[in-house]
Amino acid sequence: MAAAREEGKAVKRRESPYVLGSIVRVLMKNFLTYTVCEVYPGPSLNVVVGSNGTGKSSIVCAICLGLAGKPAFLGRADKVGLFVKQGYMKGVVEIELFQSPENIIITREIYVVNNASVWYINREPATLKTVEEQIAALNIQVDNLCQFLPQDKVGEFTRLSKAELLEATEKSIGSPEMYQLHCELKNFREKERELENLFREKTTSLEKMKQRVERYKQDVERYHECKRHVDLIEMLERKRPWLEYENLREQHEEVKQCRNQVQKELKCLREKQAPWTRNIQKAEENLNNLDMKTRDNTAEIRNISQKCKEKQDALEMKDKQIEEINQAFRMKKDEERSRQKKIDQTQQIIQEWQNELDTMAVCENLQPQIDAVNTELKKLQEEKANIDNDVSDLRAEKTNQEREEKRIIDRLGQLNNIMHVKEEKLKQRFQDTHSALMWLRKNKDKFKKKPCEPMMLEINMKDSKFAQYVENHISSNDLRAFVFECQEDMETFLVEVRDRQNLRVNAVCAPDKSCAEILPSRPIEELHRYGFYSYLRELFDAPSPVMSYLCYQYHVHDVPVGTQKTRDMIERVTQETNLRQIYTAEERYVIKISAYTKQTVTSNMCLKDAQYLTSSVDTEERGQLENQRQDISNTLKSLDARLTALFERQKLLDLKDNKLRQEKKALLERENQRRLLESKIGVKKDSLRQLEQDAIDLEMEFQLADVKIKEINKQKAELVTELMHLMKRIIPLNVIKVDLACQMTRVTAKKNRLQSEHKAGTVQLRAAQCRELLERAQHICRLRPDQDFPEEFKVAFQTLPDTLEEIDAFLNEEKTRASCFTGLSSSVVEEYNKQTQEIQQLTEYLEEKRNELNNYKQNISQVKEKWINLLKVMIEQINEKFSKFFSSMQCVGEIDLHKENEEEYEKYGIRIRVKFHNSTELHELTPYYHSGGEKTVSTMLYLMALQELNRCPFRIVDEINQGMDPTNERRVFEMVVETACKKRTSQYFLITPKLLQNLTYNNKMTVLLVYNGPFMLETCKWNLKRFKKRQRRLSCMT
């Protein structure tokens, strides 16, 4: 130890064999089993050896917690304060890590109060985040099972999923770029999936929007066409005043030149103008009258059309009435034919019966025979009555028994419901165990002795409050284990469910000699003074094989359960009772005696809440109910047998009774047959008379129907006449309407002509109106008085007619066309434009997302290529080492890349396949198929395969060799020594309580012997040179 210390101190003075981040020194104060302890590991393989309970795993815990690890990583306790030595309020862990030129010293002070921690780096205060960053920079990962495998986490390594194993391996030996690329791939893929979903949704929305726009398109086109007509009308209306103005202006210029000559003719012109004005007014009056007549004519046509429709509806109703009358008459004809048919059939039946009656002989005297049959029937009735009484009594008794049986079944159902709850818990937590249970229940005949179901179903707590003691005492694996009484039955079961069905189940075999009734080491009465009130065995019931196994394996017959009183006097209990395991109200205590110092070492832990055994069944009550149910079942069988005999006798009597009654019936029928025939003939004749009375007069019905139809036809004729009259009225009206329209057209043309003549005649009078027309034209075109005529109007006016008459005709035509477009709204166009704009925006958005998606795919392709290349190289290297190690053990092992889907990068993983026997195939390593030793060897060899490729500064493996047989343990140890002692390899810690003899060692390895106890020297007083000197002196003396 001193040499190791000196080597640690000299690390800074010369070139060190330590790699960056290796552990140079570990100091523990008041930590778990240590008061003060300082450890100096070597740079290569460190084998930490010591008996159980001396503190080997305490060193592992110190390294984990001192390097910012969480208590959960260790699987021991959930609070850091529980790692402080009992009786102290503060513990210290100090880790010195190699770094050139100055080592890094990380110190953690742990306080029991509030589970607080204080951190220091190189004796300077620091935060947890700073410590974590420093540790991450050295690539130390205490949460990575490929680097740090504590004792309580060994089983978890084989339960890592393929993806988890790949990530842990990448972090452990892969380059930082590899794990970063993997994370980028997963992130890229997730974003790509989101973009694909978004693109799909938006594409669907775009298609729906295009469909809506297509529906709007026709209305929009009609609206735009209407708008073109309206715009043309507006432009015509704008040009018309300008034409008027221009005409007047030109005329005004001419008039100004000859104004003097015209003044003399003015009076004459006004006189000539008067008739034209009167004609125009008369034309306007005619036009108004024609317009009034046209409106009146149109209203009358509409009114007559409505009346025509009403008449047509009435005609259709009359046709339906005629059809109903014809249908009713056809039904009466069918009814009459049916009546005639029944009359013929009745007459035929009467004739047949009358012939039979005529042929019958005179009835003989049958009374003596009838009396004899009546006597026999009376005797039978008396016997049947007696049997009925017996049956009633037996049925009443059977009802009482069935009622009692139902009560028992209901109670058993309640008890079975509790069992069902337990089974549901088993199914939810351990699906494979439940599947194996279902198979076992169907195949119990395949076993020599009765197998027991999983212990959690077989164990029945006498009180559910005691369940936590039993669950904390029995391991979870054994609680779900099947129990067999012979080894052969267990092997048969495991071959079926494990090998053939690939189910992950546990099974145990009860001892050959039953231990269920073994007595405790002392009566419980002797322990009452310490607060103990019972042994574990007395707290529950279980079948004999289960109880025998628990007594043999867990000593439940000799583990007492105490109260808070026991907890208060725990030191006295451990010193005076010599008990190895005890329970208080809330804790479990385990007492061990050191093989070296004979001192008592006590450990305690809080009890976990019960999960599986809280539901309990009263087995004694259940047994009594089963017995009662069996007794009732036997009684019911006896009653059923007696009832069956009575029913058989009843059946014979019924047959005899039926036979006598038939005989009596035959005699009575022979006696009453003539009277019966006469009576039946009379009934049929009455029926015949009734049918004849119900005759239907078809002629009269036909006449009535004919009268009704004629009346309706008459009404129809009137309606047709009225309809024809209306049609005759509407035709001239339509002709008049057309004529009026023509007259209006002629009058309008005449009016326009007169107005033109009037304008020509009054042009001299309108010189003063030029200004007014100019202002009106500017107002219509929305121009200011001083504004020039816009160029756009000039261009637009060039395409329009150049005379007022042509403009008026064109204007009327466009107004007529515009009036044809009804029911259109600008909101349709607005919605159409809005939707079109949204489609454009969405199309651009989709194009952007498509480009983004393509970029992601391109990035994924580039990153994937880099990552896959690195990953394949890494897995090939691991597989080469792993296969080599397995081959050296005459076994086969392979490592390969497992992927379910080429694009699902989060599901990529490392698959370990092994074969330990020549007769088997390569099987994937699972925590259920392979044995504990096989899993341990595979785990150890995988970690050794990583050792030579490792980037991490150190690796810790705690007691992994405990599940191996001596041969495999020797082989694995030799591989560890060979691999971990190579030059410039990572530091390696192998924790073990024992080593085999004659193992192969290496000068580069360091062996740390852990001797912990009250009589050991303090670390500061340990002097290896003095010990060697004393050893040489003693050798000389001998």
Side-chain angles (χ1 to χ4, degrees):
M1 181 68 74
R5 186 185 305 112
E6 292 300 324
E7 182 180 1
K9 293 178 180 179
V11 163
K12 304 173 187 177
R13 297 194 298 270
R14 56 185 171 81
E15 184 179 354
S16 174
Y18 289 88
V19 299
L20 179 65
S22 297
I23 299 174
V24 177
R25 180 175 60 87
V26 180
L27 173 63
M28 296 166 282
K29 292 182 181 180
N30 302 329
F31 187 81
L32 290 177
T33 58
Y34 295 106
T35 303
V36 177
C37 182
E38 195 167 18
V39 180
Y40 290 87
S44 298
L45 174 62
N46 293 272
V47 181
V48 183
V49 186
S51 302
N52 291 328
T54 55
K56 302 184 302 302
S57 297
S58 299
I59 298 174
V60 176
C61 295
I63 293 173
C64 176
L65 298 178
L67 296 176
K70 305 292 189 298
F73 297 163
L74 299 167
R76 283 190 148 196
D78 57 349
K79 298 177 181 178
V80 70
L82 297 176
F83 289 87
V84 177
K85 188 174 183 180
Q86 194 169 4
Y88 293 87
M89 301 303 292
K90 171 187 172 183
V92 178
V93 175
E94 187 172 277
I95 311 291
E96 183 174 352
L97 302 175
F98 177 77
Q99 180 178 269
S100 180
E102 294 292 334
N103 289 348
I104 300 174
I105 300 175
I106 298 175
T107 307
R108 181 176 188 174
E109 295 180 355
I110 304 171
Y111 295 90
V112 175
V113 179
N114 297 329
N115 296 290
S117 295
V118 178
W119 296 89
Y120 299 89
I121 296 180
N122 295 329
R123 307 286 193 270
E124 296 293 332
T127 63
L128 173 59
K129 184 177 180 181
T130 305
V131 174
E132 289 176 340
E133 291 174 351
Q134 184 68 60
I135 291 170
L138 296 173
N139 198 33
I140 297 173
Q141 306 164 16
V142 292
D143 59 340
N144 189 342
L145 294 182
C146 289
Q147 179 178 344
F148 192 92
L149 193 61
Q151 178 180 352
D152 296 312
K153 292 284 185 175
V154 172
E156 286 192 16
F157 184 86
T158 55
R159 287 194 288 272
L160 286 175
S161 67
K162 301 180 188 69
E164 292 172 337
L165 182 59
L166 173 59
E167 289 192 8
T169 305
E170 285 179 323
K171 293 177 183 177
S172 178
I173 69 169
S175 63
E177 182 187 13
M178 180 186 292
Y179 182 67
Q180 183 179 356
L181 290 173
H182 192 184
C183 294
E184 286 180 4
L185 267 179
K186 291 189 287 186
N187 293 333
F188 281 154
R189 176 56 186 157
E190 183 63 28
K191 291 179 180 177
E192 181 190 24
R193 193 181 293 115
E194 292 175 0
L195 281 174
E196 286 175 346
N197 293 334
L198 178 63
F199 189 81
R200 195 179 302 111
E201 292 174 4
K202 294 298 183 183
T203 303
T204 304
S205 300
L206 180 61
E207 290 300 323
K208 292 181 179 177
M209 291 174 68
K210 286 182 177 178
Q211 292 173 5
R212 284 199 299 270
V213 166
E214 195 63 32
R215 290 197 297 268
Y216 290 147
K217 189 174 182 181
Q218 187 176 0
D219 289 343
V220 171
E221 290 176 352
R222 293 179 67 242
Y223 178 83
H224 284 310
E225 187 177 354
C226 178
K227 186 72 165 56
R228 285 195 296 273
H229 290 300
V230 172
D231 292 342
L232 185 55
I233 290 170
E234 183 178 356
M235 193 58 68
L236 287 169
E237 289 177 344
R238 285 177 176 177
K239 185 173 181 180
R240 192 177 189 285
W242 285 102
L243 280 177
E244 291 178 350
Y245 166 72
E246 285 296 325
N247 291 338
L248 285 177
R249 188 182 62 80
E250 291 174 359
Q251 294 173 10
H252 177 65
E253 290 297 328
E254 294 175 359
V255 168
K256 282 200 303 183
Q257 295 176 4
C258 56
R259 181 174 50 186
N260 295 328
Q261 293 82 357
V262 171
Q263 284 179 351
K264 296 178 180 179
E265 301 173 2
L266 178 60
K267 186 175 180 180
C268 181
L269 289 173
R270 284 179 177 173
E271 292 175 356
K272 291 179 180 180
Q273 185 186 19
W276 292 337
T277 303
R278 285 193 296 274
N279 290 335
I280 289 173
Q281 290 176 353
K282 186 177 181 181
E284 287 178 350
E285 290 175 1
N286 292 336
L287 187 61
N288 292 333
N289 292 333
L290 288 173
D291 186 50
M292 289 289 294
K293 290 179 181 180
T294 301
R295 284 199 295 269
D296 295 342
N297 182 268
T298 302
E300 188 174 358
I301 289 173
R302 190 180 298 111
N303 186 25
I304 293 173
S305 297
Q306 181 64 30
K307 290 180 180 181
C308 287
K309 186 176 182 306
E310 292 174 358
K311 298 301 180 183
Q312 288 174 348
D313 293 340
L315 283 173
E316 290 178 1
M317 184 61 67
K318 296 301 179 182
D319 289 336
K320 288 182 181 179
Q321 290 177 0
I322 291 173
E323 180 60 29
E324 289 173 358
I325 292 170
N326 290 331
Q327 181 67 24
F329 179 71
R330 285 194 295 271
M331 290 175 64
K332 289 198 178 285
K333 287 176 67 176
D334 293 341
E335 185 179 347
E336 178 59 21
R337 279 197 295 271
S338 175
R339 187 186 66 82
Q340 286 295 339
K341 187 176 180 180
K342 287 181 180 179
I343 289 173
D344 295 340
Q345 291 175 350
T346 303
Q347 288 175 347
Q348 185 178 356
I349 292 171
I350 291 172
Q351 186 61 41
E352 290 175 356
W353 287 350
Q354 188 64 46
N355 294 337
E356 185 179 353
L357 183 62
D358 294 340
T359 57
M360 289 181 62
V362 179
C363 188
E364 55 191 289
N365 186 13
L366 302 175
Q367 192 60 40
Q369 296 179 28
I370 293 173
D371 293 339
V373 171
N374 285 335
T375 302
E376 289 294 327
L377 284 171
K378 186 175 181 182
K379 292 179 181 179
L380 284 175
Q381 292 298 328
E382 291 174 357
E383 187 174 357
K384 285 174 68 176
N386 294 331
I387 292 174
D388 288 340
N389 291 333
D390 293 341
V391 169
S392 298
D393 294 340
L394 290 176
R395 280 179 171 168
E397 185 177 355
K398 182 180 179 180
T399 301
N400 293 333
Q401 293 293 333
E402 288 174 343
R403 189 180 297 112
E404 181 64 17
E405 183 183 35
K406 184 177 182 301
R407 184 190 67 78
I408 293 172
I409 290 174
D410 291 342
R411 179 56 184 159
L412 285 173
Q414 295 174 359
L415 298 178
N416 289 333
N417 283 339
I418 298 175
M419 290 299 295
H420 180 69
V421 171
K422 296 173 75 174
E423 283 188 28
E424 283 298 315
K425 289 183 180 179
L426 177 69
K427 183 177 180 181
Q428 292 173 4
R429 297 296 299 274
F430 310 108
Q431 179 65 46
D432 285 1
T433 304
H434 184 268
S435 299
L437 173 64
M438 296 297 101
W439 179 88
L440 179 68
R441 289 179 177 176
K442 296 176 181 178
N443 298 275
K444 288 187 177 180
D445 56 329
K446 295 184 178 181
F447 303 97
K448 294 181 178 180
K449 296 184 179 181
K450 181 181 178 181
C452 294
E453 296 181 354
M455 293 188 201
M456 61 185 294
L457 300 181
E458 298 285 7
I459 293 175
N460 186 52
M461 301 304 304
K462 294 181 179 179
D463 193 328
S464 59
K465 68 181 180 181
F466 300 133
Q468 63 174 346
Y469 301 121
V470 179
E471 288 196 25
N472 279 272
H473 193 71
I474 303 172
S475 71
S476 174
N477 287 336
D478 275 352
L479 278 176
R480 58 190 176 96
F482 295 82
V483 182
F484 296 87
E485 295 188 61
C486 68
Q487 188 72 24
E488 185 179 349
D489 284 350
M490 185 175 74
E491 290 177 358
T492 302
F493 174 74
L494 291 177
V495 167
E496 173 63 33
V497 299
R498 274 191 185 175
D499 297 344
R500 296 177 184 170
Q501 301 184 25
N502 291 326
L503 298 178
R504 300 170 293 181
V505 298
N506 296 332
V508 297
C509 188
D512 295 335
K513 184 180 179 181
S514 177
C515 301
E517 303 298 331
I518 191 171
L519 296 176
S521 58
R522 70 189 76 185
I524 192 63
E525 290 77 15
E526 295 182 8
L527 301 176
H528 284 171
R529 56 190 174 134
Y530 300 110
F532 294 108
Y533 56 85
S534 175
Y535 287 107
L536 273 180
R537 183 175 62 182
E538 277 65 49
L539 299 180
F540 64 91
D541 295 320
S544 180
V546 177
M547 188 65 79
S548 176
Y549 174 79
L550 293 178
C551 290
Y552 175 79
Q553 185 69 26
Y554 292 95
H555 306 287
V556 294
H557 64 285
D558 208 24
V559 177
V561 180
T563 60
Q564 186 60 35
K565 176 181 177 183
T566 311
R567 172 68 181 85
D568 296 338
M569 55 190 305
I570 190 63
E571 293 185 2
R572 182 181 167 192
V573 171
T574 57
Q575 294 172 2
E576 297 180 2
T577 61
N578 294 325
L579 294 170
R580 294 292 173 263
Q581 292 188 69
I582 62 174
Y583 285 90
T584 65
E586 297 179 353
E587 294 177 311
R588 176 189 180 187
Y589 286 83
V590 179
I591 301 97
K592 297 181 181 178
I593 298 178
S594 173
Y596 306 98
T597 64
K598 304 302 180 184
Q599 292 296 309
T600 301
V601 179
T602 304
S603 62
N604 68 305
M605 62 182 69
C606 294
L607 296 179
K608 299 178 181 178
D609 293 335
Q611 300 181 39
Y612 310 115
L613 303 178
T614 51
S615 303
S616 59
V617 179
D618 189 340
T619 54
E620 183 177 351
E621 180 189 1
R622 185 174 181 178
Q624 292 176 357
L625 290 173
E626 291 287 354
N627 293 334
Q628 292 177 15
R629 184 181 179 185
Q630 187 60 42
D631 294 340
I632 290 174
S633 178
N634 294 335
T635 302
L636 288 173
K637 288 180 181 178
S638 174
L639 292 174
D640 287 338
R642 292 171 62 187
L643 282 171
T644 302
L646 290 174
F647 288 148
E648 289 295 329
R649 178 60 183 165
Q650 230 177 15
K651 191 182 294 183
L652 291 174
L653 293 177
D654 287 339
L655 289 173
K656 190 174 181 180
D657 182 78
N658 289 337
K659 185 177 180 181
L660 290 172
R661 289 183 183 279
Q662 289 176 358
E663 184 179 348
K664 180 181 177 181
K665 182 180 179 182
L667 292 172
L668 292 174
E669 285 179 351
R670 287 170 59 189
E671 182 178 5
N672 297 326
Q673 192 171 8
R674 185 180 183 87
R675 288 196 296 271
L676 181 61
L677 279 174
E678 291 175 349
S679 175
K680 288 166 70 176
I681 290 171
V683 171
K684 283 294 182 183
K685 286 182 177 179
D686 292 340
S687 176
L688 181 61
R689 283 194 296 273
Q690 185 63 41
L691 286 171
E692 291 173 347
Q693 290 175 2
D694 292 340
I696 298 173
D697 190 348
L698 291 177
E699 185 65 28
M700 183 181 295
E701 291 293 336
F702 177 75
Q703 292 176 359
L704 290 175
D706 188 53
V707 170
K708 291 179 180 178
I709 290 172
K710 287 180 178 178
E711 181 63 27
I712 292 172
N713 284 331
K714 183 178 178 182
Q715 296 174 4
K716 282 179 64 179
E718 293 175 356
L719 289 172
V720 170
T721 303
E722 294 176 2
L723 181 61
M724 292 300 295
H725 179 68
L726 291 172
M727 294 298 291
K728 289 178 180 179
R729 286 180 59 194
I730 201 170
I731 290 171
L733 289 174
N734 283 323
V735 173
I736 293 171
K737 180 179 179 182
V738 173
D739 184 55
L740 288 173
C742 294
Q743 291 181 29
M744 283 186 69
T745 303
R746 288 194 297 272
V747 170
T748 302
K750 183 179 179 181
K751 175 186 173 183
N752 292 335
R753 181 175 55 78
L754 290 172
Q755 286 179 341
S756 299
E757 294 175 356
H758 180 265
K759 288 175 184 177
T762 59
V763 68
Q764 298 87 350
L765 301 176
R766 295 189 180 177
Q769 297 174 2
C770 288
R771 176 59 57 187
E772 181 182 349
L773 287 175
L774 176 60
E775 292 174 356
R776 177 168 169 266
Q778 289 175 337
H779 174 72
I780 291 175
C781 293
R782 299 183 181 90
L783 299 176
R784 296 190 304 274
D786 58 344
Q787 185 178 355
D788 295 335
F789 193 70
E791 189 65 30
E792 57 178 308
F793 283 178
K794 293 179 181 179
V795 175
F797 286 175
Q798 287 176 1
T799 61
L800 299 178
D802 294 326
T803 64
L804 289 174
E805 291 77 8
E806 291 176 347
I807 283 181
D808 288 338
F810 199 6
L811 193 60
N812 290 332
E813 182 181 351
E814 290 301 317
K815 285 182 178 180
T816 304
R817 289 179 179 177
S819 64
C820 296
F821 295 92
T822 58
L824 296 177
S825 172
S826 59
S827 61
V828 176
V829 180
E830 292 174 1
E831 182 65 24
Y832 176 82
N833 293 333
K834 180 181 177 183
Q835 293 284 339
T836 305
Q837 186 178 3
E838 290 178 358
I839 288 174
Q840 180 64 26
Q841 293 174 353
L842 187 55
T843 304
E844 294 173 358
Y845 178 79
L846 284 174
E847 186 63 29
E848 178 185 345
K849 291 301 176 184
R850 182 184 288 106
N851 295 333
E852 187 176 350
L853 184 59
N854 292 334
N855 291 336
Y856 269 112
K857 289 183 177 179
Q858 187 177 359
N859 291 337
I860 288 174
S861 178
Q862 295 172 353
V863 174
K864 179 181 178 182
E865 184 178 0
K866 294 179 184 177
W867 178 68
I868 286 293
N869 292 336
L870 293 173
L871 182 61
K872 286 181 178 178
V873 171
M874 181 188 76
I875 291 179
E876 287 174 1
Q877 292 175 344
I878 298 172
N879 183 50
E880 180 183 355
K881 302 292 182 183
F882 188 73
S883 301
K884 177 183 175 183
F885 291 147
F886 259 86
S887 298
S888 66
M889 298 181 65
Q890 287 78 47
C891 300
V892 180
E894 287 184 0
I895 303 293
D896 60 9
L897 178 62
H898 175 79
K899 47 190 176 183
E900 296 179 4
N901 188 322
E902 203 58 49
E903 304 297 330
E904 301 295 334
Y905 305 107
E906 67 275 8
K907 295 184 180 179
Y908 276 56
I910 289 179
R911 179 173 61 177
I912 302 176
R913 297 197 299 162
V914 294
K915 183 175 78 169
F916 288 90
H917 308 287
N918 293 330
S919 58
T920 61
E921 298 293 331
L922 275 171
H923 279 282
E924 183 178 339
L925 181 66
T926 65
Y928 309 104
Y929 181 81
H930 295 91
S931 66
E934 292 172 343
K935 290 184 290 187
T936 302
V937 170
S938 302
T939 301
M940 195 67 182
L941 295 185
Y942 184 79
L943 296 179
M944 291 308 304
L946 302 183
Q947 177 67 17
E948 295 184 8
L949 310 171
N950 205 359
R951 288 192 311 106
C952 61
F954 63 85
R955 175 173 285 108
I956 296 177
V957 180
D958 190 0
E959 294 193 19
I960 197 172
N961 59 332
Q962 295 307 296
M964 302 182 194
D965 57 64
T967 302
N968 285 334
E969 184 177 355
R970 184 177 299 276
R971 291 174 178 172
V972 170
F973 185 82
E974 290 174 355
M975 292 180 194
V976 171
V977 172
E978 179 185 356
T979 305
C981 291
K982 291 183 178 180
K983 188 176 181 181
R984 300 303 296 172
T985 189
S986 299
Q987 195 177 32
Y988 200 100
F989 290 84
L990 178 64
I991 318 296
T992 178
K994 62 177 179 61
L995 289 173
L996 299 175
Q997 296 181 358
N998 301 320
L999 292 173
T1000 301
Y1001 297 94
N1002 189 291
N1003 291 332
K1004 292 184 179 181
M1005 65 185 290
T1006 303
V1007 180
L1008 301 173
L1009 302 174
V1010 181
Y1011 292 100
N1012 189 16
F1015 304 110
M1016 291 298 298
L1017 285 175
E1018 295 181 10
T1019 305
C1020 59
K1021 296 180 181 180
W1022 186 274
N1023 191 321
L1024 186 60
K1025 291 182 178 180
R1026 194 173 68 182
F1027 293 156
K1028 290 182 178 179
K1029 184 177 179 181
R1030 184 171 178 270
Q1031 192 269 340
R1032 285 195 296 270
R1033 187 173 67 248
L1034 291 174
S1035 298
C1036 293
M1037 291 175 61
T1038 57

